[in-house]
Amino acid sequence: MTRERYGDPDVREAAVRRVQAEWGIELPDSFLLFLDFLDGLDDTERQALRDLDVTPCGVSDLFRDPGARPREGVDIRAHGRYYRDPPEFLTFLHGGSDGLHFGLWSDDGRGCAGVASYWTHDGGGIERRHATPLEAVRSRIEGAHRDLADYAADGDPEEEARLAALAGLRTALTRHETGERTETGLAYAQAYEYRRPSVDTARVTTLDEAGALVSGETAPGRPPHPAADPHRFETFMDELFEDPAALRAAHAEALRRAAAGDPAEALVLGRDLHWASYGLPEREEYASELLAVAYRELDRPALAEIAAAHHRHRDLPDVDVLGG
């Protein structure tokens, strides 16, 4: 069995520099700890990770080959970038069925503030409850443990073997992080996963449910994240987007406010339109224009470049753009 290596210091240093140069983002120490975890897995633990359908991807690919080039004519910043991913989302891990994937989250396009995830093919919004990549992996381990526990309790030897493999993978992970969390399965979820996040007054509600870090006025005045009722807010925005005249007026008002020195509405409306583009050219164009203006006014140039690269390549049939 071929083992993927993530620990070579020269390769790692080159990949870190490449990410900084291409995406403008400084990778956090927690991501390097995630690589240490991957590199330290034995064959049994590696198989247990694969059985979870958890696979490094996106920016993680550069830590196997930091010199990898994208296909001709494609910007590397489109690598691992799914259609609805906000510019703040940098994919590093595929998490299973229905397009579940995880990304490092960067509000300013410079540093990272935790991990985000969502299901590309299964509705729902972006979750930002995990602080680190290994915390996200631990969540997948405990979710699988919770689902298997009842079958194993009935004496099913196959499920008992899978639980034992998960236990070994958990032990490997907790050597690096979350070792103080002794709960497993459902108890883990109850302790760390099922808590509603507190209202963050520094963030503004967005349709993708991740919130935007921005100050200023929005039209209409949006509550802080996540204080809005998700269903009511989604219904309101859907009605706005389905009314061409109202949408044009909202787009123009966001640009007017940004020109007057307040880019908050341009950012949140741009993020909303990006999330709800659904392949419609007008929404894609409005989203691209608003995000370019907002990120420029907010001094977030790396996010502006990521957004522009994504806009050029949103119709790619495959998010893996390296080689081939």
Side-chain angles (χ1 to χ4, degrees):
M1 180 182 296
T2 302
R3 288 174 56 86
E4 296 174 335
R5 307 298 299 182
Y6 296 88
D8 183 279
D10 293 334
V11 170
R12 185 176 292 196
E13 182 180 354
V16 168
R17 289 199 306 267
R18 180 93 184 273
V19 173
Q20 179 82 54
E22 302 281 12
W23 282 270
I25 292 172
E26 182 179 354
L27 292 171
D29 290 343
S30 62
F31 180 78
L32 303 181
L33 199 62
F34 164 71
L35 297 179
D36 289 341
F37 159 72
L38 294 177
D39 204 48
L41 296 177
D42 63 26
D43 289 343
T44 300
E45 294 157 354
R46 201 171 296 272
Q47 184 60 52
L49 190 67
R50 280 195 293 268
D51 288 343
L52 288 176
D53 204 13
V54 170
T55 309
C57 64
V59 71
S60 297
D61 294 334
L62 294 180
F63 287 82
R64 293 191 297 268
D65 181 4
R69 310 305 304 178
R71 296 193 298 272
E72 185 175 356
V74 180
D75 193 305
I76 193 172
R77 288 167 291 197
H79 182 57
R81 185 159 294 280
Y82 290 78
Y83 181 81
R84 302 178 85 184
D85 288 0
E88 291 85 353
F89 190 110
L90 181 60
T91 300
F92 71 92
L93 188 71
H94 180 267
S97 62
D98 294 318
L100 176 61
H101 61 297
F102 296 82
L104 300 170
W105 186 269
S106 178
D107 283 307
D108 62 4
R110 294 180 174 87
C112 295
V115 171
S117 63
Y118 74 99
W119 282 263
T120 303
H121 310 310
D122 194 33
I126 296 173
E127 295 182 349
R128 296 184 57 247
R129 68 171 180 260
H130 300 125
T132 69
L134 285 181
E135 189 176 301
V137 176
R138 177 78 189 270
S139 176
R140 296 298 292 164
I141 292 171
E142 302 309 340
H145 179 111
R146 178 195 61 217
D147 295 341
L148 287 170
D150 288 342
Y151 296 103
D154 293 335
D156 186 319
E158 183 176 339
E159 304 306 337
E160 288 178 350
R162 292 185 64 191
L163 275 180
L166 284 176
L169 186 61
R170 178 191 298 114
T171 298
L173 188 150
T174 55
R175 294 190 189 106
H176 299 277
E177 200 176 276
T178 72
E180 75 285 357
R181 299 182 178 184
T182 58
E183 303 88 349
T184 61
L186 178 61
Y188 183 93
Q190 291 171 332
Y192 306 107
E193 304 281 327
Y194 294 163
R195 296 175 295 183
R196 178 173 174 80
S198 58
V199 172
D200 184 349
T201 57
R203 307 186 74 81
V204 179
T205 291
T206 54
L207 196 56
D208 58 24
E209 299 184 25
L213 183 65
V214 67
S215 60
E217 299 297 324
T218 59
R222 301 186 187 209
H225 171 76
D229 178 279
H231 176 71
R232 291 181 61 188
F233 181 67
E234 182 177 359
T235 300
F236 176 86
M237 297 307 297
D238 282 347
E239 291 175 353
L240 171 65
F241 291 171
E242 290 293 333
D243 184 334
L247 180 56
R248 285 195 297 272
H251 168 255
E253 175 63 13
L255 292 177
R256 185 195 68 78
R257 288 173 179 239
D262 185 355
E265 178 64 12
L267 177 62
V268 296
L269 183 60
R271 282 267 302 277
D272 290 348
L273 283 164
H274 180 88
W275 183 253
S277 288
Y278 304 135
L280 300 175
E282 183 180 51
R283 295 190 190 184
E284 292 181 348
E285 291 292 340
Y286 281 176
S288 178
E289 183 179 9
L290 290 169
L291 291 176
V293 168
Y295 292 136
R296 182 177 67 243
E297 293 299 317
L298 291 164
D299 188 28
R300 300 174 184 178
L303 295 181
E305 293 178 9
I306 291 170
H310 194 192
H311 179 66
R312 294 193 299 272
H313 299 303
R314 287 191 83 179
D315 60 349
L316 289 175
D318 187 348
V319 299
D320 183 354
V321 307
L322 297 181

